[in-house]
Amino acid sequence: MNQLVRYIIIGFVVALVAFLIWYFSSIVAYILISAVLSLMGKPIVDFISSIRIRNWSPPRFLGATIALITIWILFIAFFRVMIPLVIAQFNELGSIDVQSLVASFAEPINSIQQFIQNYLPASAQGFVLQDFLITKISGIFTVSMITNAFSSTANLLISLVIALFSISFITFFFLKDDTLFFKSVILLFPEKYEMQITRALVSINKLLRRYFVGIVIESTAIMVLDTIGLSIIGVRFQTAVVVGLIAGIMNVVPYVGPLTGTVLGTLIVLATQLHLGFTANMLTFTILVVSVFLITQLIDNVVFQPLIYGNSVKAHPLEIFIVLLVAGSVAGILGMLLAIPSYTVIRVFAKEFFNNFRVVQKLTEKI
């Protein structure tokens, strides 16, 4: 009976915490982003704090300031270079003749259309593949869509400023006192669990730091590889950089992201090439473009992902895939983005508090 009451209380506490996280989701998001940034900036703070000049060493707040400034310089430099390229590419896509783009693939489209007419039921005979593609692609390359995206961003400018200030403020103190976040979490639990919570947080710190650093390296590598590959096959460098950026960002979403980045990137490349007057051998060129994405994805699957998902979060790829499916069905793309970090946290806490269950022992044996 006492065991049952204990589980009921734990379930109630978990439900209450989940409700509070949902209700104060924006504040929680600021804290989590700050925690991630502090993990990435901690090596800078540790390096500066380790400097010794005779009997003087830099105070930790100086290292935190330098680390925070370094992080924002990197972000500003990145967006300072990329935003003009992205805006120019969007402006160019707004004037794309979608009908000409689809017409350049008339032969394979007609073959598929013939298959539809020959083998599909009578109810599908009225389906015209070319009209369907024109409608769908036009929905991607519309000026109104691009304009609405930028206008929505402008409307959120005040919220963005508040978010940037809040994240910077919180990140500074997380960098200055690297135990502040841990102490705040420990206060939420009874004192008798302090040792277990501390061990769990130390383990989470190591796993998530490796994971987030790995994600940044992976996305950057994907961007560089796609940019180089597309440039080699004749894509204009500005377009190659933008498409590489999109592919690198989309790759953050495991499994689904690379496919979405490949489809969207291929459409952007083909539309741009058609706009520049390139119309010959579009099918061959499409195969080359898709091949670039596939080769990059192969390198990612063989080299990058095993290092990130295997060595950082220490989970089996099938295990990760199932977690992503569940998270995607529950919370969509956002759920897939947060699935792996959340699952890592759950596994670590499960190992500390529920290690008497065989399933928990099996799932956490590599942590």
Side-chain angles (χ1 to χ4, degrees):
M1 184 65 182
N2 292 335
Q3 192 78 356
L4 178 61
V5 171
R6 178 191 173 196
Y7 287 143
I8 292 175
I9 293 174
I10 292 175
F12 174 76
V13 171
V14 170
L16 178 62
V17 171
F19 172 76
L20 293 175
I21 290 175
W22 170 79
Y23 190 79
F24 298 103
S25 57
S26 59
I27 298 175
V28 173
Y30 295 161
I31 295 174
L32 292 179
I33 293 173
S34 300
V36 172
L37 292 177
S38 66
L39 288 176
M40 299 172 66
K42 186 177 183 298
I44 300 176
V45 180
D46 292 340
F47 172 75
I48 293 175
S49 300
S50 65
I51 296 175
R52 294 289 184 271
I53 302 176
R54 294 185 179 179
N55 294 328
W56 179 85
S57 62
R60 195 162 180 86
F61 81 85
L62 179 60
T65 303
I66 295 174
L68 184 62
I69 292 174
T70 302
I71 291 172
W72 282 119
I73 287 176
L74 292 175
F75 275 109
I76 292 172
F78 177 79
F79 287 108
R80 177 68 181 84
V81 173
M82 288 300 171
I83 286 180
L85 294 176
V86 174
I87 292 176
Q89 191 64 52
F90 277 171
N91 289 333
E92 187 174 316
L93 291 175
S95 60
I96 293 297
D97 186 352
V98 178
Q99 292 187 353
S100 298
L101 175 62
V102 175
S104 62
F105 295 90
E107 184 176 345
I109 290 175
N110 290 336
S111 299
I112 299 174
Q113 184 69 45
Q114 187 66 34
F115 173 83
I116 293 174
Q117 293 177 350
N118 291 339
Y119 296 99
L120 292 186
S123 58
Q125 294 298 316
F127 176 77
V128 180
L129 180 59
Q130 185 166 344
D131 294 342
F132 173 80
L133 291 175
I134 290 174
T135 301
K136 292 300 181 181
I137 297 176
S138 296
I140 298 175
F141 299 136
T142 55
V143 178
S144 58
M145 181 200 72
I146 297 167
T147 304
N148 291 337
F150 282 103
S151 63
S152 299
T153 303
N155 293 334
L156 294 174
L157 183 60
I158 295 179
S159 299
L160 181 62
V161 171
I162 294 174
L164 291 177
F165 175 78
S166 302
I167 292 171
S168 300
F169 190 82
I170 298 171
T171 302
F172 172 78
F173 285 100
F174 281 173
L175 289 169
K176 180 176 177 291
D177 184 358
D178 56 353
T179 63
L180 180 61
F181 182 73
F182 286 1
K183 292 176 181 177
S184 302
V185 174
I186 291 173
L187 289 176
L188 300 175
F189 295 87
E191 187 175 354
K192 62 180 180 178
Y193 298 123
E194 182 173 342
M195 186 64 67
Q196 292 171 289
I197 297 298
T198 301
R199 284 200 305 265
L201 291 177
V202 171
S203 179
I204 290 170
N205 181 30
K206 293 178 180 178
L207 294 173
L208 291 186
R209 183 187 304 173
R210 282 193 293 232
Y211 173 74
F212 285 117
V213 172
I215 285 293
V216 172
I217 295 174
E218 180 189 23
S219 296
T220 304
I222 293 295
M223 175 184 169
V224 172
L225 290 174
D226 281 336
T227 301
I228 293 174
L230 293 173
S231 300
I232 290 174
I233 65 173
V235 178
R236 191 175 51 174
F237 181 74
Q238 175 180 319
T239 303
V241 171
V242 173
V243 171
L245 173 63
I246 294 173
I249 293 175
M250 295 303 300
N251 203 76
V252 173
V253 183
Y255 301 108
V256 177
L259 177 61
T260 305
T262 298
V263 173
L264 185 58
T266 301
L267 288 175
I268 292 175
V269 169
L270 295 179
T272 304
Q273 294 298 109
L274 185 68
H275 181 69
L276 295 175
F278 181 85
T279 57
N281 299 320
M282 287 294 283
L283 181 58
T284 303
F285 185 73
T286 303
I287 294 174
L288 290 175
V289 172
V290 174
S291 298
V292 169
F293 288 112
L294 292 179
I295 291 172
T296 300
Q297 192 57 40
L298 179 62
I299 296 173
D300 182 35
N301 292 336
V302 173
V303 179
F304 301 142
Q305 289 190 14
L307 291 174
I308 294 173
Y309 300 142
N311 295 335
S312 61
V313 299
K314 299 186 181 299
H316 193 278
L318 180 59
E319 188 180 339
I320 293 295
F321 183 72
I322 294 174
V323 169
L324 290 169
L325 287 179
V326 174
S329 63
V330 172
I333 297 297
L334 180 60
M336 297 184 75
L337 284 171
L338 299 176
I340 297 177
S342 301
Y343 181 59
T344 301
V345 173
I346 292 172
R347 288 169 67 223
V348 172
F349 275 99
K351 182 176 182 178
E352 289 295 336
F353 292 96
F354 303 102
N355 202 36
N356 54 319
F357 293 97
R358 291 180 60 189
V359 64
V360 174
Q361 294 174 3
K362 182 63 177 178
L363 292 176
T364 61
E365 60 184 358
K366 293 183 180 180
I367 297 180

